[in-house]
Amino acid sequence: MSVQTERTDTGTAAAPGVRKTDVTPPGGPGQARRRGGTAAPYLLLVPALLVTVVLLGWPLVKNGMLSFQNLNPRQLILHLTEWNGGDNYKEVLGSSDFWKVVQRTVVFTTANVVLIMLLGTLVGLLLARLGKRMRLVLMLGLVLAWAMPVIAATTVYQWLFAQRFGVVNWLLAKAGWSSMSDYNWFGSQFSTFSVITLLIVWQSIPFVAINLYAATTTIPKELYEAASIDGAGMWKSFTHVTFPFLRPFLWATTFLEVIWVFKAFPQIFAMNAGGPDRLTETLPIYAFVEGPGNQHYGMGAAISFLTILILLGLTAYYLRTVLKQEEDEL
Amino acid sequence: MKRSLMARLWPNATALVLFVVFAFPVYWMFATSLKPTGDIIADDPVFLPTDITFDHFRRALDADHFWTLVGNSLTVTTLAVVFSLVIALLASFALARMRFKGRRGFLLTFMIAQMAPWEVMVIAIYIIVRDADLLNSLVPLTVFYMIMVLPFTVLTLRGYVAAVPKELEESAMVDGCTRPQAFVKVIFPLLAPGLMATSLFGFITAWNEFPLVLILNKDAEKQTLPLWLSSFQSTFGDDWGATMAAASLFAIPILVLFVFLQRKAVSGLTSGAVKG
């Protein structure tokens, strides 16, 4: 912590923009703010903006350029640049595999997000109803799941669902489903996706639930009192008070989750590398396997460019919601 | 009477079941890592380890390059977080405290950047890093992790700076402080919890990063812990004791940090990430 403090201090002092306001005589806070409104904010923002634009923009542009190149092992080793127009895109968009992956990604994302939002909201509302002690207990469970590093969690799920000695198969067999005692979860598309979904939903619920609970604590009590005077029961006061109050939050969270699940990589890749038979590859995995995996870098770049376009579309909608909220706040 | 008892029982019972569901995988990781192999591969799982052994941990620690990779992970993660904090602090101060043309544009840039699909851009980054002759180096990892963490850090810190009452700063300035002085002396100490929470999330993001290091650093000594853990699993295959010990070693620092800083971290998230 002390290291950070020192570094940040020198960082502030070294910024030329701040130095400049140094010289202006402090003629009251109002004036200082107006002075600060000229150049200082831009100078303060320069480092962050520069880093963001360069380090984010450069790979993006590079990705766009690569997607119009014929880039396979030969060209890669010899550093050849062979433009091939829109051939990569023609090939990608014309292949039924690509469209299957798109469809799979959409279904996978939808299923996960619906589960996350539904269960997350329910758990959040439960948190709001619990007594202090029980809330702390549940909160601890949620935080443990939330804090598990993704790769560690993936490894643990592989062990929970291991064919031999996995505790899930044992449990299912004990529950009377004896054919499951030796079940190979990673042998089929549906079962592999089930394990991945369970992992993602388990890790994502805490974010939704804890934040939703935090949001409910900001609902003014008077609203409920007024509702109960008007004769509203539990359901009515939920649909008329709680839900409208939480709606902007639920919107924003849903879009965040869509984006996060859509581009989920380590969970799927580390679980079974997109297998069996490439049947659990979603778009980011597909781009990775086609690109670096099969060394069709140009093709991989085209796939990832299309993926980014889809994400941008989703993002735009989310950003509009957030910006509107921002406007209300100012 | 009966109804109210039921009404109180149900939420508590559900909460208890949910606690088990959420905590069990984490518990199972630790429990497995401490059980003798005989108990791990028993026909009926041993839920409460009685014979505790540290053999699995020893095997995991003896695995190739473990300590080198701990060093790599720590270096890359710490540097990325520190750099992004310094840069973000400046930007967040401008965004939270000043009115200027294009403010919304800047905000928008960081919001878009926060959602950047790094997982999908690995091919372009691979070619860039290869052309710069920096494959198998920690430098590109540090640089890219910093930018991965930066937008989130800016937006979250902005929330914390905005939460400090303006009057504190103004009264310091009336007392003769310049604006930078007021910032360092008055606001900065109040930001400590915010900085802690923000760096925690930054740390977790960088500590967890997988796809980039997967493609950039093939050299076993230049990798980081997530890659080690995932390849550990494939090498050690059915040695679940060692694998779970390895997973525990990787997860413990984060779990400890998170549980300790949980409350602050969560309030920081609410003010920063969701509201943008």
Side-chain angles (χ1 to χ4, degrees), chain A residues 5 7-8 18 22 33 42 76 134 137 146 149 159 165 170 202 263 304 315 326-327, chain B residues 12 16 19 22 32 44-45 82 89 101 104 115-116 120 130 158 170 180 208 269:
Chain A
T5 312
R7 276 191 169 266
T8 321
V18 187
D22 239 357
R33 201 177 308 141
Y42 302 105
L76 188 80
M134 216 46 211
V137 170
W146 189 2
W159 167 222
F165 312 118
W170 175 85
W202 174 77
K263 57 179 199 171
S304 66
T315 315
E326 182 78 21
E327 228 166 283
Chain B
N12 286 333
L16 215 58
F19 168 76
F22 280 97
T32 306
D44 286 314
V82 170
L89 201 63
K101 248 202 184 132
R104 272 163 57 106
M115 283 172 288
V120 191
R130 185 206 60 157
R158 178 182 75 109
E170 284 168 359
N208 268 326
L269 257 195

mmCIF file of all heavy atoms in Angstrom, chain A residues 5 7-8 18 22 33 42 76 134 137 146 149 159 165 170 202 263 304 315 326-327, chain B residues 12 16 19 22 32 44-45 82 89 101 104 115-116 120 130 158 170 180 208 269:
data_model
loop_
_atom_site.group_PDB
_atom_site.id
_atom_site.type_symbol
_atom_site.label_atom_id
_atom_site.label_comp_id
_atom_site.label_asym_id
_atom_site.label_seq_id
_atom_site.Cartn_x
_atom_site.Cartn_y
_atom_site.Cartn_z
ATOM 1 N N THR A 5 1.102 4.526 -2.573
ATOM 2 C CA THR A 5 0.901 5.899 -2.142
ATOM 3 C C THR A 5 2.002 6.788 -2.695
ATOM 4 O O THR A 5 1.741 7.826 -3.285
ATOM 5 C CB THR A 5 0.911 5.976 -0.605
ATOM 6 O OG1 THR A 5 0.059 4.973 -0.118
ATOM 7 C CG2 THR A 5 0.447 7.316 -0.125
ATOM 8 N N ARG A 7 4.054 6.289 -5.163
ATOM 9 C CA ARG A 7 4.053 6.384 -6.616
ATOM 10 C C ARG A 7 2.987 7.348 -7.110
ATOM 11 O O ARG A 7 3.219 8.137 -7.996
ATOM 12 C CB ARG A 7 3.789 5.016 -7.228
ATOM 13 C CG ARG A 7 5.032 4.201 -7.329
ATOM 14 C CD ARG A 7 4.775 2.977 -8.181
ATOM 15 N NE ARG A 7 6.025 2.323 -8.507
ATOM 16 C CZ ARG A 7 6.675 2.591 -9.636
ATOM 17 N NH1 ARG A 7 6.206 3.471 -10.481
ATOM 18 N NH2 ARG A 7 7.804 1.965 -9.900
ATOM 19 N N THR A 8 1.813 7.235 -6.501
ATOM 20 C CA THR A 8 0.719 8.066 -6.975
ATOM 21 C C THR A 8 0.994 9.537 -6.675
ATOM 22 O O THR A 8 0.688 10.408 -7.475
ATOM 23 C CB THR A 8 -0.595 7.627 -6.317
ATOM 24 O OG1 THR A 8 -0.586 6.212 -6.237
ATOM 25 C CG2 THR A 8 -1.778 8.078 -7.114
ATOM 26 N N VAL A 18 -1.247 19.885 -13.573
ATOM 27 C CA VAL A 18 -1.513 20.250 -12.190
ATOM 28 C C VAL A 18 -0.575 21.363 -11.757
ATOM 29 O O VAL A 18 -0.939 22.262 -11.027
ATOM 30 C CB VAL A 18 -1.361 19.019 -11.282
ATOM 31 C CG1 VAL A 18 -1.799 19.352 -9.869
ATOM 32 C CG2 VAL A 18 -2.186 17.868 -11.834
ATOM 33 N N ASP A 22 -1.057 25.326 -10.104
ATOM 34 C CA ASP A 22 -0.266 25.683 -8.936
ATOM 35 C C ASP A 22 -0.019 27.189 -8.852
ATOM 36 O O ASP A 22 -0.062 27.797 -7.800
ATOM 37 C CB ASP A 22 1.100 24.983 -9.048
ATOM 38 C CG ASP A 22 1.328 24.071 -7.865
ATOM 39 O OD1 ASP A 22 0.478 24.032 -6.955
ATOM 40 O OD2 ASP A 22 2.355 23.405 -7.861
ATOM 41 N N ARG A 33 -12.051 26.271 -9.924
ATOM 42 C CA ARG A 33 -12.669 25.246 -10.745
ATOM 43 C C ARG A 33 -12.778 25.715 -12.187
ATOM 44 O O ARG A 33 -12.612 24.960 -13.105
ATOM 45 C CB ARG A 33 -14.046 24.877 -10.182
ATOM 46 C CG ARG A 33 -14.464 23.515 -10.685
ATOM 47 C CD ARG A 33 -15.784 23.079 -10.087
ATOM 48 N NE ARG A 33 -15.768 23.174 -8.641
ATOM 49 C CZ ARG A 33 -16.806 23.593 -7.937
ATOM 50 N NH1 ARG A 33 -17.933 23.939 -8.540
ATOM 51 N NH2 ARG A 33 -16.750 23.668 -6.630
ATOM 52 N N TYR A 42 -7.830 17.918 -19.474
ATOM 53 C CA TYR A 42 -7.312 17.216 -20.648
ATOM 54 C C TYR A 42 -5.930 16.652 -20.372
ATOM 55 O O TYR A 42 -5.609 15.529 -20.757
ATOM 56 C CB TYR A 42 -7.297 18.145 -21.862
ATOM 57 C CG TYR A 42 -8.668 18.686 -22.184
ATOM 58 C CD1 TYR A 42 -9.022 19.988 -21.884
ATOM 59 C CD2 TYR A 42 -9.628 17.848 -22.753
ATOM 60 C CE1 TYR A 42 -10.285 20.464 -22.168
ATOM 61 C CE2 TYR A 42 -10.899 18.308 -23.030
ATOM 62 C CZ TYR A 42 -11.228 19.623 -22.732
ATOM 63 O OH TYR A 42 -12.488 20.076 -22.990
ATOM 64 N N LEU A 76 3.739 -16.703 -42.258
ATOM 65 C CA LEU A 76 4.098 -16.268 -40.914
ATOM 66 C C LEU A 76 5.606 -16.359 -40.701
ATOM 67 O O LEU A 76 6.241 -15.421 -40.227
ATOM 68 C CB LEU A 76 3.368 -17.143 -39.877
ATOM 69 C CG LEU A 76 3.502 -16.676 -38.440
ATOM 70 C CD1 LEU A 76 2.538 -15.539 -38.156
ATOM 71 C CD2 LEU A 76 3.226 -17.819 -37.472
ATOM 72 N N MET A 134 -27.838 -14.885 9.274
ATOM 73 C CA MET A 134 -27.992 -15.795 8.135
ATOM 74 C C MET A 134 -27.502 -15.127 6.852
ATOM 75 O O MET A 134 -26.945 -15.777 5.974
ATOM 76 C CB MET A 134 -29.472 -16.165 8.023
ATOM 77 C CG MET A 134 -29.720 -17.582 7.588
ATOM 78 S SD MET A 134 -28.712 -18.759 8.469
ATOM 79 C CE MET A 134 -28.548 -19.952 7.173
ATOM 80 N N VAL A 137 -23.847 -15.525 6.622
ATOM 81 C CA VAL A 137 -23.477 -16.885 6.236
ATOM 82 C C VAL A 137 -23.579 -17.056 4.719
ATOM 83 O O VAL A 137 -22.632 -17.488 4.059
ATOM 84 C CB VAL A 137 -24.382 -17.915 6.955
ATOM 85 C CG1 VAL A 137 -24.168 -19.314 6.379
ATOM 86 C CG2 VAL A 137 -24.105 -17.903 8.446
ATOM 87 N N TRP A 146 -17.341 -16.322 -5.754
ATOM 88 C CA TRP A 146 -16.976 -15.159 -6.571
ATOM 89 C C TRP A 146 -15.467 -15.000 -6.670
ATOM 90 O O TRP A 146 -14.919 -14.681 -7.726
ATOM 91 C CB TRP A 146 -17.618 -13.923 -5.948
ATOM 92 C CG TRP A 146 -17.531 -12.673 -6.769
ATOM 93 C CD1 TRP A 146 -16.974 -12.532 -8.011
ATOM 94 C CD2 TRP A 146 -18.040 -11.398 -6.397
ATOM 95 N NE1 TRP A 146 -17.113 -11.238 -8.431
ATOM 96 C CE2 TRP A 146 -17.761 -10.516 -7.462
ATOM 97 C CE3 TRP A 146 -18.702 -10.910 -5.276
ATOM 98 C CZ2 TRP A 146 -18.113 -9.175 -7.429
ATOM 99 C CZ3 TRP A 146 -19.059 -9.573 -5.263
ATOM 100 C CH2 TRP A 146 -18.766 -8.721 -6.314
ATOM 101 N N PRO A 149 -10.404 -17.984 -8.362
ATOM 102 C CA PRO A 149 -9.848 -17.691 -9.684
ATOM 103 C C PRO A 149 -10.416 -18.668 -10.720
ATOM 104 O O PRO A 149 -10.620 -19.844 -10.413
ATOM 105 C CB PRO A 149 -8.359 -17.938 -9.490
ATOM 106 C CG PRO A 149 -8.121 -17.786 -8.034
ATOM 107 C CD PRO A 149 -9.365 -18.248 -7.367
ATOM 108 N N TRP A 159 -12.789 -31.931 -11.351
ATOM 109 C CA TRP A 159 -12.673 -32.946 -10.302
ATOM 110 C C TRP A 159 -14.045 -33.334 -9.762
ATOM 111 O O TRP A 159 -14.342 -34.516 -9.561
ATOM 112 C CB TRP A 159 -11.742 -32.426 -9.210
ATOM 113 C CG TRP A 159 -11.702 -33.146 -7.893
ATOM 114 C CD1 TRP A 159 -11.663 -32.549 -6.666
ATOM 115 C CD2 TRP A 159 -11.634 -34.549 -7.646
ATOM 116 N NE1 TRP A 159 -11.602 -33.498 -5.679
ATOM 117 C CE2 TRP A 159 -11.581 -34.750 -6.246
ATOM 118 C CE3 TRP A 159 -11.628 -35.689 -8.477
ATOM 119 C CZ2 TRP A 159 -11.522 -36.002 -5.655
ATOM 120 C CZ3 TRP A 159 -11.577 -36.941 -7.883
ATOM 121 C CH2 TRP A 159 -11.519 -37.098 -6.493
ATOM 122 N N PHE A 165 -14.538 -41.467 -9.261
ATOM 123 C CA PHE A 165 -14.332 -40.810 -7.960
ATOM 124 C C PHE A 165 -14.833 -39.372 -7.913
ATOM 125 O O PHE A 165 -14.583 -38.664 -6.950
ATOM 126 C CB PHE A 165 -12.849 -40.844 -7.530
ATOM 127 C CG PHE A 165 -12.236 -42.195 -7.658
ATOM 128 C CD1 PHE A 165 -11.171 -42.441 -8.512
ATOM 129 C CD2 PHE A 165 -12.744 -43.256 -6.916
ATOM 130 C CE1 PHE A 165 -10.614 -43.694 -8.629
ATOM 131 C CE2 PHE A 165 -12.187 -44.524 -7.026
ATOM 132 C CZ PHE A 165 -11.113 -44.751 -7.889
ATOM 133 N N TRP A 170 -21.089 -39.884 -7.816
ATOM 134 C CA TRP A 170 -21.393 -40.646 -6.602
ATOM 135 C C TRP A 170 -22.755 -40.228 -6.037
ATOM 136 O O TRP A 170 -23.583 -41.074 -5.687
ATOM 137 C CB TRP A 170 -20.290 -40.406 -5.556
ATOM 138 C CG TRP A 170 -20.577 -41.052 -4.225
ATOM 139 C CD1 TRP A 170 -20.302 -42.341 -3.862
ATOM 140 C CD2 TRP A 170 -21.199 -40.438 -3.095
ATOM 141 N NE1 TRP A 170 -20.715 -42.573 -2.580
ATOM 142 C CE2 TRP A 170 -21.269 -41.425 -2.075
ATOM 143 C CE3 TRP A 170 -21.697 -39.157 -2.834
ATOM 144 C CZ2 TRP A 170 -21.823 -41.162 -0.817
ATOM 145 C CZ3 TRP A 170 -22.246 -38.897 -1.588
ATOM 146 C CH2 TRP A 170 -22.309 -39.881 -0.593
ATOM 147 N N TRP A 202 -22.542 -20.532 -11.422
ATOM 148 C CA TRP A 202 -22.102 -20.564 -10.021
ATOM 149 C C TRP A 202 -21.185 -19.374 -9.708
ATOM 150 O O TRP A 202 -21.318 -18.740 -8.666
ATOM 151 C CB TRP A 202 -21.364 -21.885 -9.782
ATOM 152 C CG TRP A 202 -20.705 -22.052 -8.459
ATOM 153 C CD1 TRP A 202 -21.314 -22.353 -7.266
ATOM 154 C CD2 TRP A 202 -19.298 -21.975 -8.169
ATOM 155 N NE1 TRP A 202 -20.375 -22.454 -6.274
ATOM 156 C CE2 TRP A 202 -19.137 -22.230 -6.795
ATOM 157 C CE3 TRP A 202 -18.163 -21.713 -8.950
ATOM 158 C CZ2 TRP A 202 -17.884 -22.233 -6.168
ATOM 159 C CZ3 TRP A 202 -16.926 -21.714 -8.329
ATOM 160 C CH2 TRP A 202 -16.795 -21.971 -6.961
ATOM 161 N N LYS A 263 -18.002 -13.689 -24.396
ATOM 162 C CA LYS A 263 -16.566 -13.798 -24.667
ATOM 163 C C LYS A 263 -15.839 -14.697 -23.665
ATOM 164 O O LYS A 263 -14.624 -14.660 -23.591
ATOM 165 C CB LYS A 263 -15.932 -12.404 -24.747
ATOM 166 C CG LYS A 263 -16.123 -11.545 -23.528
ATOM 167 C CD LYS A 263 -15.439 -10.198 -23.729
ATOM 168 C CE LYS A 263 -15.216 -9.535 -22.381
ATOM 169 N NZ LYS A 263 -14.391 -8.353 -22.435
ATOM 170 N N SER A 304 -12.480 -13.379 -35.616
ATOM 171 C CA SER A 304 -12.492 -12.531 -34.432
ATOM 172 C C SER A 304 -13.023 -11.141 -34.758
ATOM 173 O O SER A 304 -13.674 -10.508 -33.933
ATOM 174 C CB SER A 304 -11.119 -12.469 -33.768
ATOM 175 O OG SER A 304 -10.202 -11.845 -34.591
ATOM 176 N N THR A 315 -22.678 -4.064 -27.123
ATOM 177 C CA THR A 315 -22.144 -3.038 -26.250
ATOM 178 C C THR A 315 -22.854 -1.704 -26.444
ATOM 179 O O THR A 315 -23.152 -1.002 -25.483
ATOM 180 C CB THR A 315 -20.641 -2.847 -26.522
ATOM 181 O OG1 THR A 315 -20.049 -4.124 -26.614
ATOM 182 C CG2 THR A 315 -19.984 -2.056 -25.438
ATOM 183 N N GLU A 326 -26.514 7.995 -16.526
ATOM 184 C CA GLU A 326 -25.530 9.006 -16.168
ATOM 185 C C GLU A 326 -26.145 10.399 -16.263
ATOM 186 O O GLU A 326 -25.954 11.246 -15.415
ATOM 187 C CB GLU A 326 -24.347 8.882 -17.130
ATOM 188 C CG GLU A 326 -23.209 9.823 -16.877
ATOM 189 C CD GLU A 326 -22.348 9.353 -15.715
ATOM 190 O OE1 GLU A 326 -22.384 8.166 -15.374
ATOM 191 O OE2 GLU A 326 -21.655 10.194 -15.152
ATOM 192 N N GLU A 327 -26.930 10.619 -17.307
ATOM 193 C CA GLU A 327 -27.580 11.902 -17.520
ATOM 194 C C GLU A 327 -28.531 12.216 -16.364
ATOM 195 O O GLU A 327 -28.586 13.329 -15.868
ATOM 196 C CB GLU A 327 -28.369 11.849 -18.821
ATOM 197 C CG GLU A 327 -28.157 13.022 -19.736
ATOM 198 C CD GLU A 327 -28.704 12.706 -21.102
ATOM 199 O OE1 GLU A 327 -28.041 11.962 -21.854
ATOM 200 O OE2 GLU A 327 -29.792 13.156 -21.411
ATOM 201 N N ASN B 12 -34.456 -19.051 5.776
ATOM 202 C CA ASN B 12 -33.236 -19.508 6.441
ATOM 203 C C ASN B 12 -32.779 -20.861 5.936
ATOM 204 O O ASN B 12 -31.586 -21.089 5.721
ATOM 205 C CB ASN B 12 -33.448 -19.556 7.951
ATOM 206 C CG ASN B 12 -33.465 -18.160 8.543
ATOM 207 O OD1 ASN B 12 -32.858 -17.240 7.992
ATOM 208 N ND2 ASN B 12 -34.186 -17.987 9.639
ATOM 209 N N LEU B 16 -29.309 -21.668 3.879
ATOM 210 C CA LEU B 16 -28.339 -22.669 4.317
ATOM 211 C C LEU B 16 -27.970 -23.606 3.159
ATOM 212 O O LEU B 16 -26.788 -23.904 2.946
ATOM 213 C CB LEU B 16 -28.929 -23.469 5.487
ATOM 214 C CG LEU B 16 -27.926 -23.896 6.545
ATOM 215 C CD1 LEU B 16 -27.209 -22.697 7.136
ATOM 216 C CD2 LEU B 16 -28.640 -24.693 7.630
ATOM 217 N N PHE B 19 -25.806 -21.741 0.811
ATOM 218 C CA PHE B 19 -24.440 -21.606 1.331
ATOM 219 C C PHE B 19 -23.628 -22.854 0.980
ATOM 220 O O PHE B 19 -22.498 -22.759 0.503
ATOM 221 C CB PHE B 19 -24.456 -21.395 2.852
ATOM 222 C CG PHE B 19 -23.095 -21.527 3.467
ATOM 223 C CD1 PHE B 19 -22.163 -20.507 3.346
ATOM 224 C CD2 PHE B 19 -22.731 -22.688 4.141
ATOM 225 C CE1 PHE B 19 -20.894 -20.635 3.888
ATOM 226 C CE2 PHE B 19 -21.458 -22.818 4.689
ATOM 227 C CZ PHE B 19 -20.544 -21.791 4.553
ATOM 228 N N PHE B 22 -22.782 -23.001 -2.763
ATOM 229 C CA PHE B 22 -21.748 -22.072 -3.201
ATOM 230 C C PHE B 22 -20.384 -22.377 -2.599
ATOM 231 O O PHE B 22 -19.366 -22.207 -3.242
ATOM 232 C CB PHE B 22 -22.171 -20.624 -2.916
ATOM 233 C CG PHE B 22 -23.106 -20.105 -3.951
ATOM 234 C CD1 PHE B 22 -24.473 -20.127 -3.753
ATOM 235 C CD2 PHE B 22 -22.622 -19.641 -5.166
ATOM 236 C CE1 PHE B 22 -25.343 -19.676 -4.726
ATOM 237 C CE2 PHE B 22 -23.481 -19.189 -6.155
ATOM 238 C CZ PHE B 22 -24.852 -19.206 -5.927
ATOM 239 N N THR B 32 -9.820 -32.123 -0.604
ATOM 240 C CA THR B 32 -9.108 -33.100 -1.428
ATOM 241 C C THR B 32 -7.604 -32.927 -1.316
ATOM 242 O O THR B 32 -6.861 -33.906 -1.245
ATOM 243 C CB THR B 32 -9.524 -32.962 -2.907
ATOM 244 O OG1 THR B 32 -10.940 -33.039 -2.979
ATOM 245 C CG2 THR B 32 -8.916 -34.048 -3.753
ATOM 246 N N ASP B 44 -16.687 -44.503 -1.595
ATOM 247 C CA ASP B 44 -17.543 -43.479 -0.988
ATOM 248 C C ASP B 44 -16.675 -42.304 -0.592
ATOM 249 O O ASP B 44 -15.723 -42.473 0.166
ATOM 250 C CB ASP B 44 -18.253 -44.046 0.250
ATOM 251 C CG ASP B 44 -19.367 -45.006 -0.145
ATOM 252 O OD1 ASP B 44 -20.133 -44.644 -1.048
ATOM 253 O OD2 ASP B 44 -19.431 -46.113 0.431
ATOM 254 N N PRO B 45 -16.977 -41.128 -1.113
ATOM 255 C CA PRO B 45 -16.138 -39.961 -0.816
ATOM 256 C C PRO B 45 -16.021 -39.707 0.687
ATOM 257 O O PRO B 45 -16.988 -39.897 1.434
ATOM 258 C CB PRO B 45 -16.870 -38.808 -1.493
ATOM 259 C CG PRO B 45 -17.965 -39.381 -2.291
ATOM 260 C CD PRO B 45 -18.118 -40.800 -1.962
ATOM 261 N N VAL B 82 -0.020 -1.312 -10.393
ATOM 262 C CA VAL B 82 0.556 -0.038 -9.946
ATOM 263 C C VAL B 82 0.533 0.997 -11.075
ATOM 264 O O VAL B 82 0.091 2.130 -10.890
ATOM 265 C CB VAL B 82 1.994 -0.243 -9.410
ATOM 266 C CG1 VAL B 82 2.674 1.097 -9.182
ATOM 267 C CG2 VAL B 82 1.964 -1.045 -8.124
ATOM 268 N N LEU B 89 -5.601 7.400 -11.550
ATOM 269 C CA LEU B 89 -5.890 8.377 -10.508
ATOM 270 C C LEU B 89 -6.008 9.778 -11.110
ATOM 271 O O LEU B 89 -6.921 10.543 -10.777
ATOM 272 C CB LEU B 89 -4.789 8.326 -9.450
ATOM 273 C CG LEU B 89 -5.173 8.894 -8.098
ATOM 274 C CD1 LEU B 89 -6.296 8.077 -7.484
ATOM 275 C CD2 LEU B 89 -3.980 8.904 -7.170
ATOM 276 N N LYS B 101 -15.505 20.289 -21.823
ATOM 277 C CA LYS B 101 -16.084 19.807 -23.073
ATOM 278 C C LYS B 101 -15.560 18.408 -23.378
ATOM 279 O O LYS B 101 -14.381 18.148 -23.221
ATOM 280 C CB LYS B 101 -15.687 20.763 -24.203
ATOM 281 C CG LYS B 101 -16.857 21.535 -24.747
ATOM 282 C CD LYS B 101 -16.558 22.042 -26.146
ATOM 283 C CE LYS B 101 -17.711 22.892 -26.619
ATOM 284 N NZ LYS B 101 -17.285 24.158 -27.187
ATOM 285 N N ARG B 104 -18.209 13.553 -21.486
ATOM 286 C CA ARG B 104 -18.964 12.339 -21.773
ATOM 287 C C ARG B 104 -18.270 11.458 -22.804
ATOM 288 O O ARG B 104 -18.317 10.229 -22.734
ATOM 289 C CB ARG B 104 -20.371 12.704 -22.263
ATOM 290 C CG ARG B 104 -21.365 12.857 -21.132
ATOM 291 C CD ARG B 104 -22.598 13.605 -21.593
ATOM 292 N NE ARG B 104 -23.223 12.936 -22.731
ATOM 293 C CZ ARG B 104 -24.361 12.239 -22.647
ATOM 294 N NH1 ARG B 104 -24.964 12.124 -21.500
ATOM 295 N NH2 ARG B 104 -24.863 11.662 -23.695
ATOM 296 N N MET B 115 -15.013 -2.999 -21.890
ATOM 297 C CA MET B 115 -15.612 -4.222 -22.415
ATOM 298 C C MET B 115 -14.831 -4.806 -23.582
ATOM 299 O O MET B 115 -15.319 -5.666 -24.301
ATOM 300 C CB MET B 115 -17.048 -3.936 -22.814
ATOM 301 C CG MET B 115 -17.940 -3.881 -21.607
ATOM 302 S SD MET B 115 -19.569 -3.329 -22.021
ATOM 303 C CE MET B 115 -19.296 -1.619 -22.335
ATOM 304 N N ALA B 116 -13.617 -4.315 -23.779
ATOM 305 C CA ALA B 116 -12.815 -4.765 -24.912
ATOM 306 C C ALA B 116 -12.688 -6.286 -24.916
ATOM 307 O O ALA B 116 -12.389 -6.891 -23.894
ATOM 308 C CB ALA B 116 -11.433 -4.139 -24.854
ATOM 309 N N VAL B 120 -10.656 -12.186 -27.862
ATOM 310 C CA VAL B 120 -10.801 -12.384 -29.301
ATOM 311 C C VAL B 120 -9.648 -11.746 -30.068
ATOM 312 O O VAL B 120 -9.429 -12.034 -31.233
ATOM 313 C CB VAL B 120 -12.155 -11.796 -29.769
ATOM 314 C CG1 VAL B 120 -12.463 -12.219 -31.180
ATOM 315 C CG2 VAL B 120 -13.269 -12.240 -28.839
ATOM 316 N N ARG B 130 5.160 -10.704 -31.723
ATOM 317 C CA ARG B 130 6.178 -11.457 -32.432
ATOM 318 C C ARG B 130 7.028 -10.527 -33.290
ATOM 319 O O ARG B 130 8.249 -10.618 -33.327
ATOM 320 C CB ARG B 130 5.527 -12.515 -33.326
ATOM 321 C CG ARG B 130 6.545 -13.408 -33.996
ATOM 322 C CD ARG B 130 6.032 -13.977 -35.282
ATOM 323 N NE ARG B 130 5.685 -12.918 -36.241
ATOM 324 C CZ ARG B 130 5.641 -13.110 -37.546
ATOM 325 N NH1 ARG B 130 5.898 -14.296 -38.039
ATOM 326 N NH2 ARG B 130 5.308 -12.127 -38.361
ATOM 327 N N ARG B 158 -13.166 6.942 -10.192
ATOM 328 C CA ARG B 158 -13.997 8.122 -10.389
ATOM 329 C C ARG B 158 -15.130 8.140 -9.363
ATOM 330 O O ARG B 158 -15.429 9.169 -8.759
ATOM 331 C CB ARG B 158 -14.578 8.117 -11.793
ATOM 332 C CG ARG B 158 -15.504 9.278 -12.086
ATOM 333 C CD ARG B 158 -16.070 9.143 -13.481
ATOM 334 N NE ARG B 158 -17.091 8.103 -13.528
ATOM 335 C CZ ARG B 158 -18.393 8.336 -13.677
ATOM 336 N NH1 ARG B 158 -18.816 9.561 -13.807
ATOM 337 N NH2 ARG B 158 -19.253 7.348 -13.702
ATOM 338 N N GLU B 170 -12.519 22.266 -0.890
ATOM 339 C CA GLU B 170 -12.677 23.716 -0.995
ATOM 340 C C GLU B 170 -12.207 24.416 0.268
ATOM 341 O O GLU B 170 -11.543 25.447 0.205
ATOM 342 C CB GLU B 170 -14.141 24.053 -1.303
ATOM 343 C CG GLU B 170 -14.472 23.773 -2.762
ATOM 344 C CD GLU B 170 -15.961 23.820 -3.044
ATOM 345 O OE1 GLU B 170 -16.745 24.061 -2.096
ATOM 346 O OE2 GLU B 170 -16.334 23.606 -4.206
ATOM 347 N N PRO B 180 -3.570 20.941 -6.154
ATOM 348 C CA PRO B 180 -2.833 19.682 -5.997
ATOM 349 C C PRO B 180 -2.549 19.365 -4.527
ATOM 350 O O PRO B 180 -2.646 18.217 -4.114
ATOM 351 C CB PRO B 180 -1.539 19.920 -6.766
ATOM 352 C CG PRO B 180 -1.845 21.005 -7.712
ATOM 353 C CD PRO B 180 -2.878 21.861 -7.057
ATOM 354 N N ASN B 208 -5.586 -13.701 -13.031
ATOM 355 C CA ASN B 208 -6.388 -14.738 -13.686
ATOM 356 C C ASN B 208 -6.144 -14.868 -15.175
ATOM 357 O O ASN B 208 -6.585 -15.824 -15.778
ATOM 358 C CB ASN B 208 -7.876 -14.387 -13.541
ATOM 359 C CG ASN B 208 -8.472 -15.008 -12.316
ATOM 360 O OD1 ASN B 208 -8.089 -16.099 -11.923
ATOM 361 N ND2 ASN B 208 -9.405 -14.312 -11.706
ATOM 362 N N LEU B 269 -17.641 -1.747 -6.315
ATOM 363 C CA LEU B 269 -18.198 -2.265 -7.553
ATOM 364 C C LEU B 269 -19.532 -1.614 -7.862
ATOM 365 O O LEU B 269 -19.810 -1.234 -8.983
ATOM 366 C CB LEU B 269 -18.429 -3.767 -7.413
ATOM 367 C CG LEU B 269 -17.443 -4.682 -8.085
ATOM 368 C CD1 LEU B 269 -18.034 -6.064 -8.151
ATOM 369 C CD2 LEU B 269 -17.119 -4.204 -9.477
#
